[in-house]
Amino acid sequence: MGLAVFGNIFPIESRMWASNVGSGLYCLALLACAVASYFMDAVNTMFALTMLALVAMAFFGSLMQSAVIGLAGRMGPKVSAAVMFGFGMSGLTVFALSVIGVLVLDSNYKFSSMVQAATLFVFSGVYTAVSTWVYHFCFSCRIEEVVDVLTTLEEERSNPMLARVRSLQCNAGNLRANDLMQPEHTSQLATFSAAMRQMGSQPFNVWLTFAVTMTVFPSVMHQWAPDRIVFLQLLTGCFQVFDVSGRYLADALASYLPSSRLWMLSILRILFVPAFLLGQWRPQSCFLWGSDTGRVLLVVLLALSHGFIGACAMMYGPSQCDTEIRETAGLSMGCAMVIGIFSGSLLALLTQL
């Protein structure tokens, strides 16, 4: 929530540089922890160092998210859709690398786990370096539309009164000096509140979408057949593929779905919770959650709806706001997404009590 309210105090370029450098450093730290854990038996020490690296990962990841989602919100629905598609592709890529590692390295469990983890962290470090170059030396300085948006955002960030003037230009005939001088019109909390009001139900939609998904996936799904490792990997792969497909479809179909009706689809997804739980508790009661085919179908529908509704909400939310507060709107939607992931993870624990 703090990032939603205060994250856009800092320039986007500063946030991107800090998050990219920090991401590279914690990738190196996690790589060192993965290798050291194979050669050392200091379990408590390695656990503490790994947790510190994870805290750094959470901080710098949030910092990057505040910059990327905020910028996407200001630039429009198409860019928001592209960002959500990129998030999905990152998960699919990591899953593919993990599967390849399991298939190739199966002789010594401890050694293969170390090599697999080290490979993923090396890949993440290289990917971070490449994406840093792409953003800072291509995307943010060579694409005219991006340059214009970044320039406008930083002008308004350094001079909140300028943003207020632009927000009142449509009512220039009624513009008064007092309207510009009221501090409540230019504070971060006021901007956040205005963005939440103008986005309507979209923060709720993205929160509920991620909360429902995290409640049943992967924790409940893994209880369907805990001894069938290959089948569970197949289900996880299906989720990753169809989640990305749903995000891609959102860009193509969002214009045909009224934004005011999206909450209906979000509410309907709650039905996945009892369906997945019945697959764990009473699999013999129905073909849909008791057979392999039905379970694959459930995961496919969960993933498609997750990607589609989540991406649509992220597109609709900022686009419903005034231009000068769309960056804050994007940050707020990102905050709702993270809270959805967190609350869904807590509910997942309750399902296994």
Side-chain angles (χ1 to χ4, degrees):
M1 185 66 72
L3 281 176
V5 181
F6 301 110
N8 61 348
I9 293 176
F10 306 104
I12 289 179
E13 287 292 301
S14 299
R15 278 179 274 164
M16 288 299 295
W17 272 116
S19 60
N20 284 322
V21 173
S23 297
L25 291 176
Y26 73 65
C27 283
L28 290 176
L30 290 170
L31 172 62
C33 289
V35 175
S37 64
Y38 178 74
F39 296 100
M40 299 172 58
D41 292 327
V43 177
N44 292 334
T45 301
M46 296 311 303
F47 176 79
L49 292 175
T50 302
M51 291 303 296
L52 287 175
L54 291 176
V55 170
M57 179 170 63
F59 174 78
F60 289 113
S62 299
L63 195 62
M64 180 178 293
Q65 179 177 291
S66 74
V68 172
I69 295 182
L71 179 60
R74 183 61 178 256
M75 294 189 66
K78 291 290 185 181
V79 181
S80 295
V83 168
M84 293 300 292
F85 181 77
F87 286 164
M89 283 299 299
S90 65
L92 182 60
T93 302
V94 171
F95 171 76
L97 289 174
S98 300
V99 171
I100 293 172
V102 170
L103 294 175
V104 173
L105 303 166
D106 58 355
S107 56
N108 182 296
Y109 177 76
K110 186 175 180 180
F111 175 77
S112 62
S113 297
M114 182 272 289
V115 173
Q116 183 180 0
T119 301
L120 290 174
F121 294 139
V122 168
F123 172 81
S124 298
V126 172
Y127 188 86
T128 298
V130 173
S131 62
T132 300
W133 180 85
V134 170
Y135 176 82
H136 290 287
F137 299 101
C138 292
F139 184 75
S140 64
C141 60
R142 297 186 182 181
I143 301 177
E144 184 176 353
E145 181 182 1
V146 180
V147 174
D148 291 342
V149 170
L150 287 173
T151 301
T152 301
L153 281 174
E154 300 314 327
E155 287 178 351
E156 294 177 353
R157 201 184 319 279
S158 62
N159 185 4
M161 202 65 69
L162 177 61
R164 180 61 181 159
V165 170
R166 288 171 175 170
S167 71
L168 294 172
Q169 280 181 343
C170 58
N171 298 315
N174 299 320
L175 186 62
R176 296 175 302 173
N178 287 339
D179 291 329
L180 297 177
M181 298 306 295
Q182 296 301 317
E184 64 268 20
H185 292 319
T186 58
S187 70
Q188 293 295 318
L189 286 173
T191 303
F192 171 72
S193 300
M196 293 297 290
R197 287 195 303 271
Q198 293 182 25
M199 286 189 292
S201 64
Q202 302 313 323
F204 168 78
N205 292 333
V206 75
W207 168 80
L208 184 60
T209 297
F210 279 84
V212 167
T213 298
M214 295 305 297
T215 299
V216 298
F217 179 88
S219 60
V220 176
M221 186 195 74
H222 280 181
Q223 299 303 315
W224 285 348
D227 298 328
R228 300 173 61 189
I229 303 300
V230 175
F231 179 62
L232 293 178
Q233 288 180 337
L234 172 65
L235 291 178
T236 303
C238 284
F239 181 89
Q240 297 289 352
V241 170
F242 285 95
D243 173 45
V244 172
S245 301
R247 295 169 191 243
Y248 181 80
L249 288 174
D251 185 29
L253 302 178
S255 58
Y256 300 100
L257 176 66
S259 61
S260 59
R261 304 287 179 86
L262 189 63
W263 66 270
M264 298 179 184
L265 296 180
S266 301
I267 295 291
L268 282 175
R269 292 189 80 249
I270 297 176
L271 295 175
F272 283 118
V273 176
F276 272 68
L277 289 174
L278 287 170
Q280 176 185 347
W281 296 339
R282 297 182 179 276
Q284 70 281 359
S285 61
C286 181
F287 167 84
L288 180 60
W289 50 74
S291 67
D292 289 352
T293 303
R295 288 171 170 176
V296 170
L297 179 60
L298 269 180
V299 171
V300 168
L301 292 175
L302 177 75
L304 269 176
S305 60
H306 173 85
F308 180 78
I309 298 173
C312 283
M314 294 296 289
M315 294 167 64
Y316 292 149
S319 65
Q320 294 176 187
C321 298
D322 295 335
T323 302
E324 69 281 351
I325 63 172
R326 286 181 181 176
E327 183 190 9
T328 299
L331 291 172
S332 304
M333 293 295 290
C335 182
M337 180 176 67
V338 172
I339 294 175
I341 294 172
F342 178 69
S343 55
S345 300
L346 294 180
L347 290 172
L349 295 176
L350 297 178
T351 64
Q352 303 307 310
L353 293 179

